[in-house]
Amino acid sequence: MDLKKLEDILKIKLPHIGGVSFQKDDVIHCENRIGGTVLPLGVAGPLHINGQHAKGDYYIPLATTEGALVASVNRGSKAISASGGASSGVELVGVTRGPVFEVKNISQALSFKKWLDEHLSLLKKEAEKTSSHLKLLKLGARITGNYVYVRFYFNTGEAMGMNMATIATDKIVSYIENKTKASCLAISGNFCVDKKPAWLNFISGRGRRVWAEAIIKKDLVKTILKTSPQKLFEVWLAKCMMGSIMSGGMGFNSHFANVVAAFFAATGQDLAHVVEGSMGVTTMKVLENGDLYVSVYLPAVMLGTIGGGTKLAIKKEALSIMKVTSSDALAEILGCAVLAGELSLLSSLAEGSLAKAHTRLGR
Amino acid sequence: MDLKKLEDILKIKLPHIGGVSFQKDDVIHCENRIGGTVLPLGVAGPLHINGQHAKGDYYIPLATTEGALVASVNRGSKAISASGGASSGVELVGVTRGPVFEVKNISQALSFKKWLDEHLSLLKKEAEKTSSHLKLLKLGARITGNYVYVRFYFNTGEAMGMNMATIATDKIVSYIENKTKASCLAISGNFCVDKKPAWLNFISGRGRRVWAEAIIKKDLVKTILKTSPQKLFEVWLAKCMMGSIMSGGMGFNSHFANVVAAFFAATGQDLAHVVEGSMGVTTMKVLENGDLYVSVYLPAVMLGTIGGGTKLAIKKEALSIMKVTSSDALAEILGCAVLAGELSLLSSLAEGSLAKAHTRLGR
Amino acid sequence: MDLKKLEDILKIKLPHIGGVSFQKDDVIHCENRIGGTVLPLGVAGPLHINGQHAKGDYYIPLATTEGALVASVNRGSKAISASGGASSGVELVGVTRGPVFEVKNISQALSFKKWLDEHLSLLKKEAEKTSSHLKLLKLGARITGNYVYVRFYFNTGEAMGMNMATIATDKIVSYIENKTKASCLAISGNFCVDKKPAWLNFISGRGRRVWAEAIIKKDLVKTILKTSPQKLFEVWLAKCMMGSIMSGGMGFNSHFANVVAAFFAATGQDLAHVVEGSMGVTTMKVLENGDLYVSVYLPAVMLGTIGGGTKLAIKKEALSIMKVTSSDALAEILGCAVLAGELSLLSSLAEGSLAKAHTRLGR
Amino acid sequence: MDLKKLEDILKIKLPHIGGVSFQKDDVIHCENRIGGTVLPLGVAGPLHINGQHAKGDYYIPLATTEGALVASVNRGSKAISASGGASSGVELVGVTRGPVFEVKNISQALSFKKWLDEHLSLLKKEAEKTSSHLKLLKLGARITGNYVYVRFYFNTGEAMGMNMATIATDKIVSYIENKTKASCLAISGNFCVDKKPAWLNFISGRGRRVWAEAIIKKDLVKTILKTSPQKLFEVWLAKCMMGSIMSGGMGFNSHFANVVAAFFAATGQDLAHVVEGSMGVTTMKVLENGDLYVSVYLPAVMLGTIGGGTKLAIKKEALSIMKVTSSDALAEILGCAVLAGELSLLSSLAEGSLAKAHTRLGR
């Protein structure tokens, strides 16, 4: 694959990616700017997806300096597509902001929590004054001592929406302070949880939950991935389950973060949200007919097709490679790319050593 | 600050950053490359550092599309430098690779663990055949059922060294399989733990542990940060301690990941290592004289001054802005930049709401 | 305090505790029974409580072989009571059972989750056929691959209710399997989470959430606890916050488990639920007038006043010491006893060493 | 099984267990004692063990009010013994105490850590002045800000040793404060980590690490456990791996805590140490010949055969049932009992529902 060939296939032009350049009138949010930096960008695919929102053959733009990463997603895509493609699903959880309030005591805290639950519709109204693109979906509050942590969940449409959520939360907080005895100590009380690993994100989700799965025919596991479903299963179990357990992990996968980081860099997402994207679970099982079932679950995907870095023309071009119609579709494509990456890396691990293992152990 | 001014101050030329370009003969590890992507790059500073390795005034290159990020680190740097600068320290833990071995049973696992401990010097010898830049520092093994997870720690000099470590581990694994009954299921058993949040990284470290600290005079907290040491302390306690606790977190900080991501993008580090970099702790306390003590601790910083993305000329330029002499120095500069970011964001939070809080609560 | 004196104060008789004996007609659920074992039982208090449910002066029965434990809760109770007593609050979360279901794929999983949400009222009806003492409160489902984990929350009245919940879940599961394509792999899929440390319990609660708090006058901190509010605060911050963080903990407290274990042993609760009871947070702060605010939060308290071990006459006697009228009251008394234990142990730590610390550091 | 029969088999007398009584001259550490409480005690077994330290057929004393628990361990023991018995292993980690020190800054912290490492032999000497039964094994220090957390590991022989460790740590701390600029804020800085769930205990161990395993013949899985190795494997994977992952757990098992609590109550251990004992991993796999491999790993077992509650005659009797010769042997017996409990409960879960699942899913 090279630029010319991709442009021909997709019938689009990618001048900025090809030329690695800013556009003159790009809106750039970076103070004290002295210029820019660059990352090589390659494409993996085509990856066939039968998703809820993404349907068709996709080329995946990945910006990285890590050798083998694009090749790995490419190989995984080949195995998936040859097996009929990946399925995917997405659920909007909402971008979250989690202020911390201070009250006098437990009794006041419990009353405050009750007040919040009872006034959700009024808080919605306040929040939605700040933008026509934002909806307050729900809230969840937790009390410890005289602190109350409140997590607001917002639908911010096609934008990742962190800034929109902050502005809306500020509005809500003012309203709350006017109407109750609670005072806000910080508009972000790390109950968001933004850009930090946290079980709250894993369990309650953040942004979007994304699932992707495929059934890889056993013959294709052999010819394309150079291993077998059984070996893959054993490596997956030892690594993604038991290995992550033994290390006290939140990432029960092989390398979600690699694919998420390269995809985010290419498409103008916030690179610090790789943290949320590194969490999640890969699943494998050998089906009764000997084929391989593989799936990924990403509980907290933070991305958007408008706003933030996506305003740069070069990022828009990357999005145009995938002809994305919505952030839901973009999330599904990412999920499937992550799936391809898992399949390929686990195969490399399995092929590299498991064969020897079995001969030697002679069980 | 603009490009010209920075070049004049530093007495260097930054043509690639200024022109946002690849160099013709750049070695680029990215398959199916169709071009590249760009990120705006700004500088924060000067930030005065009295570290073990970094000493002097530093401009911090940050590549980001998040508005306010560079400005925030800049403001933090100003407060720190005006107070006499930041101190920092670094400890090499070593890049780690953690294969998983299979044995027959617990008895064999215990014998195998003993064998590993007794043969460390031989394993060192094997590992060090693969590169003159690599040393095997130590190993740690954990047993569950018939699995044995072994974590090898390598000194890879000025390189981040993940690839070097993998090659060395492969060599070690072959040696082990020849000499023992253990068989390697996967050369990475998620006991590394590479690019996934994990308590093993937090507790045992990975790459380098980095600390940075400063004492900010109370007057400067007021004039530069627009808040007070006491308010900062209260916000820090409610957010970085209690808020992270309430959300089941591994990041007891405000936004390490933002600074780490922007710094890594600018200097050619692996963006997926932002995951490790997002972990860690910010500490604050009000000293008896009313000044503010602030520190950060990053338990797992993965970076290098050679290899990987640093081979690109544009990344070398970013390193040249900091005149870095070693990866230890680079790690300390990052630590101090993270410190500046914490100080500034926590101040914004404190200033925005805490004042109102106290009036209202009337405690 | 001795038996006679307590009996006189309370105007009750405690023959079984005094005689350390089973009652002939005790219903004892213990197969292959060869006899019994004993634990010494002491009382702490009186502890003055102004709770939502518990109001008055309470003696706390504690069964333990750990020297100083009863004395510690006693000292804490003294300081709390002399300061006007503890406040407390309780929230019923519900006992939970979390089966795991298997479906064909993600699409089926998403449909199944939707079906569950839409059929909650029918599931309630099924569940409530199994006992007139049980209500199904809500459910929460999570999907990974082709697994669906569902957490059912039950109100089981005054009983701890784990068995009731299991029977009700079995009924629900049968109904679900009849009506959907999902199949239950295990009626407990560790999504309960019963008797294992887990963030799901911390974040979403289990059984009851319990809070207790007190304001200890600074003079009483000095005379009874032999330390000062400021020293206590510093020790709390270094230990319960930072120390628990540095060790990757789920228990941000000093020794909840000690008090919970001794209270559970005395009152006939399930000793393995000490695991849930060991989680939680202690909070301290120095108020503007110099007094000490201290609170505890236990997110997952599993207990009851009927059923299980409470059927033994000797456990009923222990409950009678507290004249408990409900499980909510019992939970509040436990919370306040835990508060007393925290206050006393942290004081011992502070008194033992912090004084020296400050002189020596000369900050 | 009843008392008479057990006494005949073991050729011992168990008057206190049979009579459920204190002995007059029992040393009882419980202040404000008004009497005692009782728990029914049953025995499971015989369980055949081929351990490093425990060898032979064992009856397991379990004190509980939870119906089915003894029966469950009994059934598991039957399956294990009929298959040739369980193997086990134990590793002394040492009881730990983790004080927190305060220093001036990072530089002083790093020097202090170095000083500790260099003076280990002197610290050993100090520690060992406090008891001839105690050895200081090693230490590990972690720095954040101006705090230094130090974890001391002690061999306390046959005693669980928490009190011995505290006294020794106090001695060490005095020495350190005399020789360095560090000051101890609290002799327990939650870096121990005593009676709280924590990854530090999971990863670095506490007390003893214990492993137990068995291979259960497939026919016996069918006849005794009423299920099949494959079904057991599937339930284990869905529950102990994926279910614990989905709930953010530290316990990758079915019900370690149940067995540990009942065993600890019977044998005079500290009931709050059930917290540490609830952590750990169960492993299952189907061997090539169709038999079932099952193992358990408990990373932090805190127990002893002397001291604490074991001083009560009734607890000594429970120990005599197992003819324990050492705490290592006791730990192995506990491990094997836990193994039996896992096997039986997972079988109940598998038998109850998995059969239906497969018919219905018709994969």
Side-chain angles (χ1 to χ4, degrees):
Chain A
M1 181 64 56
D2 61 23
L3 179 64
K4 181 71 180 55
K5 198 171 151 195
L6 187 67
E7 288 182 333
D8 287 351
I9 293 171
L10 298 175
K11 298 190 200 334
I12 57 173
K13 289 288 168 196
L14 303 165
H16 294 98
I17 287 177
V20 195
S21 62
F22 283 109
Q23 195 172 28
K24 254 199 186 141
D25 55 354
D26 268 341
V27 180
I28 294 170
H29 298 292
C30 177
E31 303 81 22
N32 286 349
R33 191 162 78 87
I34 61 167
T37 195
V38 300
L39 280 170
L41 189 151
V43 291
L47 172 53
H48 189 71
I49 301 179
N50 315 303
Q52 294 177 323
H53 302 274
K55 296 170 196 294
D57 289 307
Y58 292 90
Y59 287 91
I60 315 292
L62 298 166
T64 184
T65 55
E66 185 178 355
L69 181 57
V70 178
S72 177
V73 177
N74 204 43
R75 184 170 74 142
S77 298
K78 198 172 156 192
I80 291 169
S81 299
S83 294
S87 298
S88 54
V90 64
E91 187 181 87
L92 181 77
V93 176
V95 58
T96 54
R97 198 38 114 184
V100 50
F101 293 87
E102 198 175 25
V103 292
K104 273 213 158 140
N105 49 40
I106 290 168
S107 164
Q108 212 176 80
L110 290 167
S111 303
F112 177 49
K113 183 173 187 296
K114 203 172 157 227
W115 185 93
L116 288 169
D117 288 334
E118 290 169 357
H119 291 75
L120 180 59
S121 60
L122 281 169
L123 300 179
K124 272 180 198 280
K125 206 182 287 180
E126 282 302 303
E128 292 163 17
K129 283 179 190 168
T130 61
S131 165
S132 60
H133 298 292
L134 171 145
K135 301 271 168 216
L136 172 58
L137 300 171
K138 61 174 180 171
L139 64 81
R142 289 292 177 273
I143 297 163
T144 185
N146 66 331
Y147 294 121
V148 183
Y149 293 84
V150 188
R151 198 178 202 225
F152 296 105
Y153 296 75
F154 301 98
N155 180 344
T156 54
E158 299 306 317
M160 176 270 277
M162 195 68 255
N163 283 348
M164 255 194 271
T166 302
I167 292 163
T169 303
D170 193 52
K171 186 83 177 170
I172 296 171
V173 162
S174 296
Y175 183 83
I176 289 171
E177 291 191 320
N178 275 330
K179 301 287 183 184
T180 73
K181 288 175 184 163
S183 287
C184 183
L185 276 171
I187 197 172
S188 164
N190 276 12
F191 203 60
C192 314
V193 185
D194 196 37
K195 303 173 177 176
K196 284 165 285 282
W199 279 106
L200 181 58
N201 285 347
F202 197 112
I203 289 171
S204 300
R206 186 163 204 249
R208 282 170 173 83
R209 299 181 199 274
V210 181
W211 298 268
E213 72 188 352
I215 293 175
I216 313 295
K217 294 188 200 317
K218 65 185 168 206
D219 293 348
L220 297 173
V221 173
K222 193 171 173 192
T223 53
I224 299 175
L225 301 173
K226 314 293 178 199
T227 182
S228 74
Q230 184 60 31
K231 283 180 199 172
L232 268 169
F233 176 78
E234 291 186 29
V235 166
W236 164 77
L237 181 58
K239 176 187 174 72
C240 296
M241 295 288 103
M242 201 64 88
S244 294
I245 286 167
M246 293 297 282
S247 58
M250 276 185 204
F252 303 88
N253 59 68
S254 300
H255 69 145
F256 280 17
N258 271 336
V259 180
V260 172
F263 190 86
F264 275 19
T267 61
Q269 312 305 325
D270 191 325
L271 293 174
H273 282 140
V274 172
V275 175
E276 277 92 336
S278 69
M279 300 190 312
V281 184
T282 295
T283 307
M284 282 196 168
K285 66 173 62 180
V286 183
L287 299 181
E288 288 188 4
N289 67 3
D291 290 348
L292 176 79
Y293 172 83
V294 56
S295 85
V296 294
Y297 168 45
L298 294 83
V301 173
M302 292 287 288
L303 51 66
T305 50
I306 61 171
T310 67
K311 289 180 195 159
L312 299 182
I314 201 167
K315 309 297 183 181
K316 285 203 180 77
E317 276 186 13
L319 292 171
S320 77
I321 291 175
M322 297 176 286
K323 302 179 196 302
V324 287
T325 50
S326 69
S327 292
D328 282 337
L330 187 66
E332 289 194 342
I333 296 168
L334 171 61
C336 294
V338 164
L339 181 74
E342 290 296 288
L343 193 56
S344 185
L345 178 54
L346 284 165
S347 296
S348 299
L349 291 168
E351 178 265 328
S353 43
L354 196 72
K356 291 179 287 177
H358 276 251
T359 318
R360 291 168 40 79
L361 263 184
R363 313 180 293 179
Chain B
M1 180 65 57
D2 61 23
L3 179 65
K4 182 71 181 55
K5 198 171 153 197
L6 186 68
E7 288 182 334
D8 287 352
I9 293 170
L10 299 175
K11 297 187 200 338
I12 56 173
K13 289 288 167 197
L14 304 165
H16 294 97
I17 288 176
V20 194
S21 62
F22 282 109
Q23 193 172 29
K24 254 202 189 141
D25 55 353
D26 268 341
V27 180
I28 294 169
H29 297 293
C30 177
E31 303 81 21
N32 285 351
R33 191 161 79 87
I34 60 166
T37 196
V38 300
L39 281 170
L41 189 152
V43 291
L47 172 53
H48 190 70
I49 302 178
N50 315 303
Q52 293 177 325
H53 303 274
K55 294 169 197 293
D57 289 307
Y58 292 90
Y59 286 91
I60 316 292
L62 298 166
T64 184
T65 55
E66 186 180 355
L69 181 57
V70 178
S72 177
V73 177
N74 204 45
R75 184 171 75 142
S77 298
K78 198 173 157 192
I80 292 169
S81 299
S83 295
S87 299
S88 56
V90 63
E91 187 181 87
L92 182 79
V93 175
V95 57
T96 54
R97 199 36 115 185
V100 50
F101 293 88
E102 198 177 26
V103 292
K104 273 215 158 138
N105 49 40
I106 291 166
S107 164
Q108 211 176 81
L110 290 166
S111 303
F112 177 50
K113 183 173 187 297
K114 201 170 158 229
W115 185 92
L116 288 170
D117 288 335
E118 289 170 358
H119 291 76
L120 179 58
S121 61
L122 281 168
L123 299 179
K124 272 178 199 279
K125 207 182 285 179
E126 283 302 303
E128 292 164 16
K129 282 178 189 168
T130 61
S131 165
S132 60
H133 298 293
L134 171 144
K135 301 271 169 216
L136 172 58
L137 298 171
K138 61 174 180 171
L139 65 82
R142 288 292 177 274
I143 297 164
T144 186
N146 67 330
Y147 294 121
V148 183
Y149 292 84
V150 189
R151 199 177 200 227
F152 295 105
Y153 296 75
F154 301 97
N155 179 343
T156 53
E158 300 306 318
M160 177 270 278
M162 195 67 255
N163 283 347
M164 255 195 271
T166 301
I167 292 164
T169 302
D170 193 52
K171 186 83 177 172
I172 295 171
V173 162
S174 296
Y175 183 84
I176 288 171
E177 290 192 320
N178 276 329
K179 300 288 183 184
T180 73
K181 288 175 184 163
S183 286
C184 183
L185 276 171
I187 198 172
S188 164
N190 276 13
F191 204 61
C192 314
V193 188
D194 196 38
K195 304 173 176 173
K196 283 164 286 280
W199 279 105
L200 182 58
N201 285 347
F202 197 113
I203 289 170
S204 300
R206 186 161 203 249
R208 282 170 172 82
R209 298 182 200 273
V210 181
W211 298 268
E213 71 187 352
I215 292 174
I216 313 296
K217 293 188 200 314
K218 64 184 168 209
D219 293 348
L220 297 173
V221 173
K222 193 173 172 191
T223 54
I224 299 176
L225 301 172
K226 314 294 180 199
T227 182
S228 74
Q230 183 61 29
K231 282 180 201 171
L232 269 170
F233 177 78
E234 290 184 31
V235 166
W236 163 78
L237 181 59
K239 176 187 174 71
C240 297
M241 297 287 102
M242 202 63 88
S244 295
I245 285 167
M246 293 297 282
S247 59
M250 276 184 202
F252 304 87
N253 59 68
S254 300
H255 69 145
F256 279 18
N258 270 336
V259 180
V260 171
F263 191 87
F264 275 19
T267 62
Q269 312 304 326
D270 192 323
L271 292 175
H273 282 139
V274 172
V275 175
E276 279 93 335
S278 68
M279 299 190 313
V281 185
T282 295
T283 308
M284 283 197 167
K285 66 173 60 180
V286 183
L287 300 180
E288 287 188 5
N289 67 4
D291 291 348
L292 176 79
Y293 172 82
V294 55
S295 84
V296 294
Y297 167 45
L298 293 82
V301 173
M302 293 286 290
L303 53 65
T305 51
I306 62 172
T310 68
K311 288 179 195 158
L312 299 183
I314 201 167
K315 310 297 183 182
K316 285 203 180 76
E317 276 185 14
L319 292 170
S320 78
I321 291 174
M322 297 175 287
K323 302 179 197 302
V324 287
T325 51
S326 70
S327 292
D328 281 337
L330 187 67
E332 289 193 343
I333 296 168
L334 170 61
C336 294
V338 165
L339 181 74
E342 290 295 289
L343 193 56
S344 185
L345 178 55
L346 285 165
S347 295
S348 300
L349 291 168
E351 179 264 328
S353 45
L354 196 70
K356 291 178 287 174
H358 275 252
T359 317
R360 292 168 41 79
L361 262 184
R363 310 179 297 173
Chain C
M1 183 63 56
D2 61 22
L3 180 63
K4 182 70 181 56
K5 199 172 153 195
L6 187 67
E7 288 181 334
D8 287 351
I9 292 172
L10 299 175
K11 299 190 200 337
I12 57 174
K13 288 289 167 196
L14 302 165
H16 294 99
I17 287 177
V20 195
S21 61
F22 282 109
Q23 194 171 28
K24 253 198 186 141
D25 54 353
D26 267 341
V27 180
I28 293 169
H29 298 292
C30 177
E31 303 81 22
N32 287 349
R33 191 161 78 89
I34 61 167
T37 197
V38 301
L39 281 169
L41 189 150
V43 292
L47 171 54
H48 190 71
I49 302 179
N50 315 302
Q52 294 178 325
H53 304 272
K55 295 170 197 293
D57 289 307
Y58 293 91
Y59 287 91
I60 316 290
L62 298 166
T64 183
T65 55
E66 185 178 356
L69 180 57
V70 178
S72 177
V73 177
N74 204 45
R75 182 171 76 142
S77 298
K78 197 173 158 191
I80 291 169
S81 299
S83 295
S87 300
S88 54
V90 64
E91 186 180 87
L92 181 78
V93 176
V95 58
T96 55
R97 198 35 114 187
V100 50
F101 293 87
E102 198 176 25
V103 292
K104 272 214 158 140
N105 50 39
I106 291 167
S107 164
Q108 211 175 80
L110 290 167
S111 303
F112 178 50
K113 183 173 188 294
K114 202 170 156 229
W115 185 93
L116 288 169
D117 288 334
E118 290 170 358
H119 292 75
L120 180 57
S121 61
L122 282 169
L123 300 179
K124 272 179 199 280
K125 207 182 287 180
E126 283 302 304
E128 292 164 18
K129 284 178 190 169
T130 61
S131 166
S132 62
H133 298 292
L134 172 143
K135 300 273 169 216
L136 172 58
L137 300 171
K138 61 174 180 171
L139 65 80
R142 290 291 178 272
I143 298 164
T144 185
N146 67 331
Y147 294 120
V148 183
Y149 293 84
V150 188
R151 198 177 202 225
F152 296 105
Y153 296 75
F154 301 97
N155 180 343
T156 53
E158 300 306 317
M160 177 270 277
M162 194 69 255
N163 283 347
M164 255 194 271
T166 301
I167 291 164
T169 303
D170 194 51
K171 186 83 176 169
I172 295 172
V173 161
S174 296
Y175 183 83
I176 288 172
E177 290 191 321
N178 275 329
K179 301 288 183 183
T180 72
K181 290 175 182 162
S183 287
C184 183
L185 277 171
I187 197 172
S188 164
N190 275 12
F191 203 61
C192 314
V193 188
D194 195 38
K195 303 172 177 176
K196 284 164 285 280
W199 280 106
L200 181 59
N201 285 347
F202 198 113
I203 289 171
S204 300
R206 186 161 204 251
R208 282 171 172 82
R209 300 180 197 275
V210 181
W211 299 267
E213 71 188 352
I215 293 175
I216 312 297
K217 293 188 200 315
K218 65 185 169 211
D219 293 348
L220 297 172
V221 173
K222 193 171 174 191
T223 53
I224 299 176
L225 301 172
K226 313 295 178 198
T227 181
S228 73
Q230 183 60 31
K231 282 179 200 172
L232 268 171
F233 177 77
E234 291 185 31
V235 166
W236 163 79
L237 181 58
K239 176 186 174 70
C240 296
M241 297 285 103
M242 202 64 88
S244 293
I245 286 168
M246 293 297 281
S247 59
M250 275 186 205
F252 303 88
N253 59 69
S254 301
H255 70 144
F256 280 17
N258 271 336
V259 180
V260 172
F263 190 87
F264 276 18
T267 61
Q269 313 304 326
D270 191 324
L271 293 175
H273 281 141
V274 172
V275 176
E276 278 93 336
S278 68
M279 300 191 311
V281 184
T282 295
T283 307
M284 283 195 168
K285 66 174 60 181
V286 183
L287 299 181
E288 287 189 5
N289 67 2
D291 289 349
L292 176 79
Y293 172 83
V294 56
S295 84
V296 294
Y297 167 45
L298 293 83
V301 173
M302 293 286 289
L303 52 65
T305 50
I306 62 170
T310 67
K311 290 179 194 159
L312 299 182
I314 202 168
K315 309 298 181 180
K316 285 203 179 77
E317 276 186 14
L319 292 170
S320 77
I321 293 174
M322 297 175 286
K323 302 178 198 300
V324 286
T325 51
S326 69
S327 292
D328 282 337
L330 187 66
E332 289 194 343
I333 296 168
L334 171 60
C336 294
V338 165
L339 181 74
E342 290 296 290
L343 194 56
S344 185
L345 179 53
L346 285 165
S347 296
S348 299
L349 290 169
E351 178 265 327
S353 43
L354 195 72
K356 291 179 288 175
H358 276 250
T359 318
R360 292 168 41 79
L361 263 185
R363 308 181 298 172
Chain D
M1 182 64 55
D2 61 22
L3 179 64
K4 182 69 182 57
K5 198 172 152 194
L6 187 67
E7 288 181 335
D8 286 351
I9 292 171
L10 298 175
K11 298 187 199 336
I12 57 176
K13 289 287 168 196
L14 302 165
H16 293 98
I17 287 176
V20 194
S21 63
F22 283 109
Q23 194 170 31
K24 254 202 188 137
D25 55 353
D26 268 342
V27 180
I28 293 169
H29 297 292
C30 176
E31 303 82 21
N32 286 350
R33 190 160 79 87
I34 61 166
T37 196
V38 300
L39 281 170
L41 189 151
V43 291
L47 172 54
H48 189 71
I49 302 179
N50 315 302
Q52 293 178 325
H53 303 274
K55 296 170 198 292
D57 289 306
Y58 293 90
Y59 287 90
I60 316 292
L62 298 166
T64 184
T65 54
E66 185 179 355
L69 181 57
V70 178
S72 176
V73 177
N74 204 44
R75 183 170 75 142
S77 298
K78 198 174 157 192
I80 291 168
S81 299
S83 294
S87 299
S88 55
V90 64
E91 187 180 86
L92 181 78
V93 175
V95 58
T96 54
R97 200 34 118 185
V100 49
F101 293 88
E102 198 177 25
V103 293
K104 273 215 157 138
N105 48 40
I106 291 167
S107 164
Q108 212 176 80
L110 290 166
S111 303
F112 177 50
K113 184 173 187 294
K114 201 170 158 228
W115 185 92
L116 288 170
D117 289 333
E118 289 170 358
H119 292 74
L120 180 58
S121 61
L122 281 169
L123 300 179
K124 271 178 199 281
K125 207 183 286 180
E126 283 302 303
E128 292 163 17
K129 283 178 190 169
T130 60
S131 166
S132 61
H133 298 293
L134 171 145
K135 299 274 169 215
L136 172 58
L137 299 171
K138 61 174 181 172
L139 64 82
R142 289 292 177 273
I143 298 164
T144 185
N146 67 330
Y147 294 121
V148 183
Y149 293 84
V150 188
R151 198 177 201 225
F152 296 105
Y153 297 75
F154 301 97
N155 180 344
T156 53
E158 300 306 317
M160 176 271 277
M162 194 69 256
N163 282 348
M164 257 195 269
T166 301
I167 292 164
T169 302
D170 194 52
K171 186 84 176 171
I172 295 171
V173 161
S174 296
Y175 183 83
I176 288 172
E177 290 192 319
N178 276 330
K179 300 289 182 183
T180 72
K181 289 174 184 164
S183 287
C184 183
L185 276 171
I187 197 172
S188 164
N190 275 12
F191 203 60
C192 313
V193 188
D194 196 37
K195 303 173 178 174
K196 283 165 285 280
W199 279 106
L200 181 60
N201 285 347
F202 198 113
I203 290 171
S204 299
R206 186 161 203 250
R208 284 170 171 83
R209 298 181 200 274
V210 181
W211 299 266
E213 72 188 352
I215 292 174
I216 312 297
K217 293 190 201 314
K218 63 185 169 208
D219 293 347
L220 298 172
V221 174
K222 193 172 172 191
T223 53
I224 300 176
L225 301 172
K226 314 294 179 198
T227 182
S228 73
Q230 183 61 30
K231 283 179 200 173
L232 269 169
F233 177 78
E234 291 184 32
V235 166
W236 163 78
L237 181 58
K239 177 186 173 72
C240 297
M241 297 287 103
M242 201 64 86
S244 294
I245 286 168
M246 293 298 282
S247 60
M250 275 186 203
F252 304 87
N253 59 68
S254 301
H255 69 145
F256 280 18
N258 270 336
V259 180
V260 171
F263 191 87
F264 276 19
T267 61
Q269 312 304 325
D270 192 325
L271 293 175
H273 282 140
V274 172
V275 176
E276 278 93 335
S278 68
M279 299 190 315
V281 184
T282 295
T283 308
M284 283 196 168
K285 67 173 59 179
V286 183
L287 299 182
E288 288 189 5
N289 68 3
D291 289 349
L292 176 79
Y293 172 83
V294 56
S295 85
V296 294
Y297 167 46
L298 293 82
V301 173
M302 292 287 289
L303 53 65
T305 51
I306 61 172
T310 68
K311 289 179 194 158
L312 299 182
I314 201 168
K315 310 297 182 181
K316 284 203 179 76
E317 277 185 14
L319 291 170
S320 78
I321 291 174
M322 298 175 286
K323 302 178 195 301
V324 288
T325 51
S326 69
S327 292
D328 282 336
L330 187 66
E332 290 193 342
I333 296 168
L334 171 60
C336 294
V338 165
L339 182 73
E342 290 295 290
L343 194 55
S344 185
L345 178 54
L346 285 165
S347 296
S348 300
L349 290 169
E351 178 265 327
S353 43
L354 197 70
K356 292 178 287 174
H358 275 253
T359 318
R360 291 167 43 78
L361 263 183
R363 313 177 294 175

